[in-house]
Amino acid sequence: MKINKKIIKELSDYLEEFNLTELEYTEKDTKIKVSKNNISVTNQNIPSQKTEINNLDDNLSKKTKTGIEVKSPIIGTAYHAPEPGAKKFVEVGKKIKKGDTVMIVEAMKTMNHVPSTADGVVKEICVEDGQPVEFGQNLLILD
């Protein structure tokens, strides 16, 4: 069996270009699997997975905002206004009181109003209008 180095080189380039960790290519009876974690195709300095995780942790800690976090009570789709084109519930800089509706999270065709958990001024809106959200995901940060 002849190994086609050109295909392996191409696949390893795709790993970098598309920020993938593994890629598999099959043609007829030939199967090639290239992975950052298991093999090194060239002598390039490829960062280890542990290094990448440490860098992510550093970046997250730098981006962590201080303030009161208002989190999503359910999984669904977050909306900033009661209907398309209507006035948004909150804007950055707006003063809100505990219990005020800050967003709607739609789940299974049910619109769930999300109340503020504290008094404060909106420092940051963490999700885009119409964006899917997870349980416990930050929706707002208050000062």
Side-chain angles (χ1 to χ4, degrees):
M1 175 178 146
K2 183 180 176 191
I3 297 175
N4 189 338
K5 293 179 184 177
K6 183 180 177 189
I7 291 177
I8 295 173
K9 175 66 175 135
E10 230 177 281
L11 293 173
S12 65
D13 290 343
Y14 287 145
L15 286 177
E16 292 300 316
E17 183 179 343
F18 299 111
N19 199 21
L20 302 171
T21 55
E22 188 174 280
L23 188 59
E24 195 170 301
Y25 173 80
T26 306
E27 185 180 322
K28 296 181 184 172
D29 61 343
T30 305
K31 187 176 188 179
I32 300 171
K33 185 175 182 180
V34 180
S35 171
K36 278 187 186 180
N37 299 331
N38 297 330
I39 62 169
S40 178
V41 177
T42 63
N43 247 351
Q44 296 173 343
N45 184 12
I46 299 173
S48 70
Q49 201 172 24
K50 188 174 184 177
T51 303
E52 290 174 10
I53 290 171
N54 288 341
N55 289 343
L56 281 175
D57 288 343
D58 290 345
N59 290 342
L60 287 176
S61 64
K62 288 176 188 171
K63 290 182 180 178
T64 302
K65 306 289 182 189
T66 55
I68 301 163
E69 299 170 340
V70 178
K71 298 179 181 274
S72 177
I74 57 173
I75 296 172
T77 304
Y79 294 104
H80 293 189
E83 60 187 35
K87 185 178 178 216
K88 294 180 180 182
F89 291 112
V90 294
E91 304 263 350
V92 174
K94 181 178 178 185
K95 194 173 195 174
I96 59 173
K97 295 185 180 198
K98 183 177 181 176
D100 287 353
T101 299
V102 295
M103 225 170 266
I104 290 177
V105 177
E106 183 246 334
M108 298 176 62
K109 307 278 184 203
T110 303
M111 300 299 180
N112 302 282
H113 289 257
V114 179
S116 174
T117 53
D119 295 345
V121 176
V122 178
K123 182 177 183 180
E124 179 182 353
I125 299 173
C126 302
V127 296
E128 298 292 322
D129 190 39
Q131 176 183 335
V133 293
E134 296 291 326
F135 169 78
Q137 180 177 343
N138 282 351
L139 298 176
L140 297 175
I141 297 180
L142 305 175
D143 260 344

